[in-house]
Amino acid sequence: MTERFGPDLLRGSLDLLVLSLLSSSPGYGYDLQQRLREASGELVQIQAGTLYPLLHRMEADGFVRCRWEQSTGRRRKWYELTAAGKRRLVSQTREWDRYVACIRAVLDPVRTALEG
Amino acid sequence: MSQREFEAYLTLLSKLLNLSPAQRNDVADELRDHLEERMTQLAAEGLSPEDAAHRAVSELGDAAGLARELSRPRAALRRRRILRWGFSASVATAVAAFLFWPNPHPVAPALVVAQAPAAPMAGGGPIGGPTVSPAEKRRAAVEKKLDQDVKDMEFDATPLRDALQYLSEVAEVPILIDRRRIEEAGVEFDGKINFTVKAGDVSFRTALEMILSEVDLIYLVREGVIVVTTRSEEPQQYEVRVYPCSDLLAAGIPQVAAAEGGEGSTPAMAGAGPLGGLPAAGAAVPMGAGFGAAPAGAAGGPMAAGAGKSNGKNAVFGAAYRPRSTHPAGAALLDLVQTMTDGPWLEVSGEGGNLREYGGMLIVRHKQSVHRQIEELLTRMREKRAK
């Protein structure tokens, strides 16, 4: 089994990952946690203690909105992306791509040395 | 068993959250849902219910740390939106100052001069022109901000507190919530406000009044601060304000009154008002003729005659009743104000606010809502006259 990513590496990208999950369909906390685990091939496991504050922060920022449902007999809080959240996802994705390309370029000599 | 462990954790966490009761409840419900889901999953993977519950709780981590993290977004939102009254020492001072504000009833409050268009003070008047106290300047600044056009505003099931915070931010006026009295009155701070206006539809004042009327609250202007409180607070908050009115008095009140009332005939209007027993407002001219002969401020003579006419209605005051006005058109102005505002007026119903005209100034002791009506009435009269 491949090693999971370290928390330092993940910190800056969790927002983006959660936004991308919500762009395909609304979700509630536990559901998003599981979906992220599956989507990442078990490599990304976000802690509940990290996920809920993150969701609340995105709600306060207006990137997601919530609604409550009672169908399970318990109150369940569902999150969905707002228009601002969609814009955020697009801009963050672009930024992330540029970042990855940049890091890749910087690391090229290291990679060559390792392979060579 | 699991429920007990969950509830112990959620209770502790709730206590540590720096959020409103309703928000704390929401957080607990959300995390309870998570814990139940997680426990079901772990039990399906073969853990005993006890172990599953314990593991689910421990995965959430330390309650204090999570509570801190969950309180942060809301706190940031509040910081962005308003002056944070609730959490600083200055607030405690402000609240204390408000709660122990001297009740103006037993002592005559300091005379304040109402904000009014610069009207020439005919003859200077015995008070010697308007002196504006610092407190009054602060009040006038707030009133002015309240008269601004609103920006686009959309409250969709927004908690009252957030709505007020938003208003406070965009109108740039501090809004202090008289939490204790409102809670005693059983008004829910997280009660949902639905209110939408477009920029320029109404003034901030109207928006604030409309929002507060949804929850049966009112606002008072305390120097530079708006205080949101219960209706029961209002009658106790009498203030004296002085409105320079020489310009209106010089122009003659009856004509303006007829135009404002839209009744066509002034006597009919006065008759319809609570001052039916008085000579009609139109009679101000004959009364004025009498007054004109006497020096302003003198008692007796025509003045006494004027008061005598009033006494026909205001028997409650008996012999102690003093002249109500010094300007020829003063009495008509007083009658007009009493007719066109909500009151109650001492002269009319034996209780409520009181008013005098003195040297071209209208002096009124009443609650803020009535003062606001008077300001509006005088403004409209001036507008009509300017046309």
Side-chain angles (χ1 to χ4, degrees):
Chain A
M1 180 176 157
T2 323
E3 227 178 307
R4 285 185 205 155
F5 299 116
D8 286 346
L9 197 57
L10 279 177
R11 197 164 292 137
S13 51
L14 282 177
D15 283 33
L16 178 58
L17 292 174
V18 171
L19 286 173
S20 81
L21 289 176
L22 288 172
S23 74
S24 54
S25 67
Y28 54 94
Y30 186 73
D31 160 68
L32 291 170
Q33 198 184 22
Q34 300 307 307
R35 275 162 62 186
L36 183 54
R37 195 166 57 91
E38 285 159 24
S40 66
E42 313 261 323
L43 293 181
V44 178
Q45 296 207 7
I46 184 171
Q47 295 299 312
T50 307
L51 175 65
Y52 287 98
L54 185 154
L55 286 168
H56 287 214
R57 198 174 64 242
M58 293 203 302
E59 187 187 354
D61 288 338
F63 298 134
V64 300
R65 62 172 156 258
C66 74
R67 64 191 153 82
W68 288 89
E69 245 177 43
Q70 194 100 38
S71 54
T72 53
R74 291 190 297 268
R75 286 182 82 216
R76 174 163 290 169
K77 190 178 183 183
W78 285 81
Y79 294 88
E80 63 183 348
L81 220 53
T82 62
K86 282 177 195 144
R87 285 195 298 273
R88 173 84 169 177
L89 173 61
V90 171
S91 70
Q92 291 260 83
T93 303
R94 286 205 185 110
E95 191 181 10
W96 182 257
D97 286 345
R98 282 195 300 121
Y99 178 71
V100 170
C102 167
I103 297 294
R104 191 179 276 282
V106 172
L107 294 183
D108 247 354
V110 183
R111 201 175 301 113
T112 314
L114 283 176
E115 283 165 7
Chain B
M1 192 68 184
S2 62
Q3 260 67 26
R4 208 183 308 158
E5 183 154 4
F6 291 171
E7 291 313 314
Y9 180 86
L10 294 174
T11 305
L12 173 62
L13 181 102
S14 293
K15 277 185 188 152
L16 297 167
L17 287 168
N18 181 11
L19 298 174
S20 74
Q23 288 163 348
R24 285 205 290 265
N25 195 36
D26 282 351
V27 169
D29 281 355
E30 183 177 27
L31 295 178
R32 186 177 296 109
D33 182 42
H34 175 93
L35 289 168
E36 298 280 358
E37 285 276 296
R38 183 62 181 148
M39 192 185 115
T40 308
Q41 171 77 30
L42 290 169
E45 288 171 12
L47 262 67
S48 73
E50 285 77 19
D51 288 349
H54 187 70
R55 174 121 162 243
V57 167
S58 62
E59 279 175 359
L60 277 182
D62 138 64
L66 183 56
R68 195 166 52 244
E69 289 300 316
L70 287 171
S71 303
R72 201 167 282 166
R74 273 280 164 182
L77 197 63
R78 279 200 295 269
R79 258 196 308 279
R80 275 212 303 275
R81 282 192 171 173
I82 34 163
L83 292 164
R84 303 204 55 210
W85 287 100
F87 300 92
S88 69
S90 69
V91 175
T93 319
V95 172
F98 175 68
L99 294 179
F100 300 104
W101 209 284
N103 184 340
H105 267 304
V107 225
L111 226 57
V112 291
V113 175
Q115 180 189 14
M121 301 288 293
I127 292 182
T131 44
V132 180
S133 70
E136 184 53 25
K137 267 188 202 153
R138 288 191 278 272
R139 194 189 68 80
V142 169
E143 298 279 359
K144 201 173 160 194
K145 282 181 176 166
L146 280 173
D147 284 332
Q148 300 172 98
D149 282 356
V150 288
K151 314 267 192 298
D152 282 338
M153 205 177 277
E154 188 181 344
F155 296 133
D156 180 16
T158 304
L160 170 64
R161 200 172 40 179
D162 290 351
L164 292 176
Q165 284 170 0
Y166 179 76
L167 266 184
S168 165
E169 186 203 2
V170 289
E172 297 179 324
V173 281
I175 298 181
L176 175 62
I177 299 174
D178 184 4
R179 178 174 290 275
R180 185 173 64 83
R181 288 201 176 84
I182 294 175
E183 272 175 359
E184 277 170 11
V187 173
E188 175 63 70
F189 282 104
D190 294 308
K192 306 298 185 206
I193 301 288
N194 294 298
F195 180 76
T196 304
V197 286
K198 291 266 168 285
D201 277 355
V202 291
S203 63
F204 276 111
R205 183 189 306 285
T206 308
L208 182 59
E209 278 167 5
M210 287 164 118
I211 287 167
L212 293 178
S213 76
E214 277 202 39
V215 281
D216 205 31
L217 294 174
I218 54 152
Y219 74 92
L220 305 168
V221 180
R222 279 256 172 246
E223 300 201 1
V225 177
I226 291 173
V227 180
V228 170
T229 186
T230 56
R231 244 169 233 294
S232 63
E233 281 312 291
E234 194 189 25
Q236 298 160 28
Q237 311 290 345
Y238 277 68
E239 327 179 338
V240 174
R241 292 193 201 162
V242 178
Y243 301 87
C245 285
S246 318
D247 56 333
L248 292 172
L249 290 165
I253 299 299
Q255 292 82 349
V256 182
E260 283 295 315
E263 300 260 358
S265 105
T266 313
M269 192 188 79
L275 299 165
L278 283 174
V285 180
M287 274 172 74
F291 278 113
M303 190 82 74
K309 285 179 197 167
S310 295
N311 276 347
K313 159 85 174 141
N314 301 298
V316 272
F317 297 100
Y321 193 66
R322 289 180 296 278
R324 314 160 72 218
S325 60
T326 60
H327 191 279
L333 177 64
L334 302 187
D335 293 349
L336 181 70
V337 167
Q338 293 185 117
T339 312
M340 292 300 167
T341 53
D342 286 346
W345 293 101
L346 194 59
E347 284 186 6
V348 179
S349 41
E351 59 172 22
N354 209 350
L355 79 179
R356 291 283 186 277
E357 182 275 317
Y358 190 66
M361 285 177 287
L362 174 63
I363 305 164
V364 182
R365 177 173 175 277
H366 220 302
K367 52 196 181 190
Q368 286 195 354
S369 63
V370 173
H371 279 298
R372 255 175 246 139
Q373 291 172 353
I374 294 171
E375 269 170 36
E376 200 189 330
L377 174 66
L378 297 179
T379 306
R380 284 176 58 197
M381 286 167 72
R382 288 194 171 94
E383 282 167 8
K384 271 266 156 54
R385 208 166 68 79
K387 275 179 190 166

